[in-house]
Amino acid sequence: YQMSAMFFKKILIINIFGIGDVLFSTPLIRSIKESFPESFVGFVCNKRAYDVLKDNPCVDKLFIYEKDDFRALYKTSKKQSIQKAVQDLSDIKKEKFDVVIDLSLNKYASFLMWALGIKTRIGFNYKNRSPFLTHKVNIDGYENKHVVEHYLGLLEPLGAKKIHRQMEVGIAPQDRQWAEDVLGKHQIKSDDLLVAMVPGGGVSWGKDVAYRRWPPQQHARLADKVIEKFHAKIILLGDLSEEEIGQRMVQAMQQRVVSLIGKTTVGQYLALLAKCKRVIVNDGGPLHMAVAAGAKTVSLIGPVDENVYGPYPEEGHVVVTADVACRPCYRQFRRAQCDHIRCLKDITVDAVLDRIKF
């Protein structure tokens, strides 16, 4: 099953999902680099995830694939969309990759990599959609172990010698400096007890994002209590699309917080997370950004199984869930029909406060 390491000069990884999933790939990337130090690692990701990989020292070249851009271009010009697809594939072909590790669960990806002449194609054969993989793991979803562990399992055919289990992210010096400056501007000193709260939760669930968000009024009450109990300074972080949810939280509060929602780049966001003593966060990409940046997290998790999608590794992190019989209900990439969301709404402010330690 294992192959000779002499083949592994050039390795391509494909993961076109959201920021959290791409960060789940970083132990895989590091394991490859440590096992095959001379290897060249390429990575195919979407535009959103590009920013969490661009400063990763283990990635030699990034290729961006954005499905929505292709669809939009196809609607305006089929010819241009085909030309772009040919150009993008040509850029990959030029690198002459020996191996591809396909995390896309996509029926076209393994076919295209075969068409490009990549001889060894390793990946997940999701619902038998990937007949062009040469080494495959059959799955209907991620179950029983963390997604990171599922990804690391694909190293077996390579015979990787070193397995790395920490998620990681590169943070540029200018982003660290920006974080210092913006905190100073808001009178937050280096010895202050700095806590970040993320009342949103990323965008990867689209219209179902409410199923990942603890109510903003609860976040507001918790923030007030954290300030009162620990004399903490709190910053709010989030995407520009989450500005309204941040405003609702601020309006419901009695204490003062600094809202930087929608006011950072991804790199600046990561630099701020890295400076926090705790990050209180919903399930989603920001949770995994905080973990990868080295922050300790307190996460509020609803429908998903925290053993599969929670902070990884779990040491030093606190997961708060509600004891309801129907959770976790997210299985095989599908959430059960639900109109009560008790798994989030039943998490009390005091239950979270009790789990916060410094």
Side-chain angles (χ1 to χ4, degrees), residues 62-261:
L62 284 166
F63 304 88
I64 294 178
Y65 166 75
E66 191 60 55
K67 182 174 64 176
D68 292 344
D69 287 358
F70 264 106
R71 284 180 175 164
L73 189 58
Y74 187 80
K75 282 178 183 170
T76 56
S77 169
K78 289 182 185 177
K79 183 181 175 185
Q80 282 186 337
S81 72
I82 291 166
Q83 286 172 338
K84 175 156 175 50
V86 169
Q87 181 61 56
D88 288 353
L89 289 168
S90 170
D91 291 344
I92 293 173
K93 188 173 184 178
K94 273 184 211 155
E95 294 295 342
K96 297 188 167 68
F97 287 104
D98 309 300
V99 182
V100 59
I101 298 177
D102 179 9
L103 308 176
S104 72
L105 311 177
N106 183 296
K107 61 185 176 183
Y108 301 113
S110 57
F111 165 72
L112 289 170
M113 296 307 107
W114 168 79
L116 292 180
I118 301 177
K119 288 192 167 55
T120 302
R121 301 175 298 278
I122 303 165
F124 297 116
N125 185 30
Y126 173 56
K127 295 189 173 178
N128 290 316
R129 290 180 183 175
S130 302
F132 288 89
L133 293 172
T134 58
H135 299 74
K136 64 185 78 170
V137 174
N138 295 320
I139 63 163
D140 292 319
Y142 298 125
E143 303 283 331
N144 305 319
K145 59 184 178 183
H146 201 280
V147 178
V148 171
E149 296 288 345
H150 282 280
Y151 287 177
L152 289 172
L154 296 179
L155 288 168
E156 192 179 334
L158 298 181
K161 304 285 187 295
K162 296 181 180 178
I163 305 299
H164 185 83
R165 286 191 156 79
Q166 298 290 330
M167 293 195 299
E168 61 184 312
V169 67
I171 303 174
Q174 63 267 29
D175 289 329
R176 292 191 189 274
Q177 186 59 53
W178 180 91
E180 290 263 342
D181 294 345
V182 82
L183 292 175
K185 198 170 84 178
H186 289 285
Q187 286 80 51
I188 297 172
K189 302 188 289 296
S190 58
D191 57 350
D192 283 332
L193 189 62
L194 182 60
V195 175
M197 294 185 70
V198 187
V203 296
S204 61
W205 275 29
K207 61 181 173 33
D208 281 351
V209 73
Y211 291 88
R212 306 178 90 164
R213 286 178 177 165
W214 198 45
Q217 297 81 1
Q218 301 284 77
H219 276 285
R221 287 178 51 222
L222 178 64
D224 279 336
K225 291 196 172 197
V226 167
I227 292 167
E228 289 160 15
K229 182 174 179 181
F230 300 108
H231 306 291
K233 297 279 181 78
I234 291 183
I235 57 171
L236 306 186
L237 294 173
D239 187 87
L240 188 59
S241 66
E242 297 167 337
E243 227 172 1
E244 188 203 340
I245 204 167
Q247 286 167 359
R248 280 160 57 199
M249 180 178 165
V250 170
Q251 285 161 6
M253 286 188 64
Q254 294 167 346
Q255 303 283 348
R256 182 184 166 276
V257 294
V258 174
S259 179
L260 297 170
I261 294 176

Side-chain angles (χ1 to χ4, degrees), residues 11 13 22-43 52-53 55-60 101 103 148 151-152 155 158 160-171 292 312:
I11 299 166
I13 300 168
V22 166
L23 288 171
F24 291 160
S25 315
T26 57
L28 174 72
I29 301 167
R30 173 68 68 177
S31 298
I32 288 168
K33 272 293 191 186
E34 291 190 358
S35 296
F36 312 108
E38 303 302 311
S39 65
F40 176 96
V41 175
F43 200 108
V52 299
L53 285 176
D55 293 306
N56 187 310
C58 296
V59 179
D60 297 293
I101 298 177
L103 308 176
V148 171
Y151 287 177
L152 289 172
L155 288 168
L158 298 181
K161 304 285 187 295
K162 296 181 180 178
I163 305 299
H164 185 83
R165 286 191 156 79
Q166 298 290 330
M167 293 195 299
E168 61 184 312
V169 67
I171 303 174
Y312 183 94

Side-chain angles (χ1 to χ4, degrees), residues 341-355:
I341 326 181
R342 278 188 50 213
C343 59
L344 278 176
K345 290 177 179 169
D346 282 8
I347 297 174
T348 67
V349 169
D350 286 339
V352 183
L353 189 66
D354 286 347
R355 302 292 302 279

Side-chain angles (χ1 to χ4, degrees), residues 256-326:
R256 182 184 166 276
V257 294
V258 174
S259 179
L260 297 170
I261 294 176
K263 296 176 182 171
T264 68
T265 64
V266 170
Q268 292 164 351
Y269 194 136
L270 287 163
L272 286 168
L273 289 169
K275 295 187 77 64
C276 292
K277 298 288 192 296
R278 285 291 178 279
V279 178
I280 301 168
V281 57
N282 296 325
D283 172 40
L287 163 61
H288 308 299
M289 288 167 67
V291 175
K296 299 299 182 194
T297 65
V298 176
S299 53
L300 310 152
I301 295 187
V304 306
D305 184 346
E306 63 275 19
N307 298 306
V308 178
Y309 293 100
Y312 183 94
E314 61 188 30
E315 291 80 29
H317 301 283
V318 170
V319 174
V320 187
T321 60
D323 185 14
V324 293
C326 53

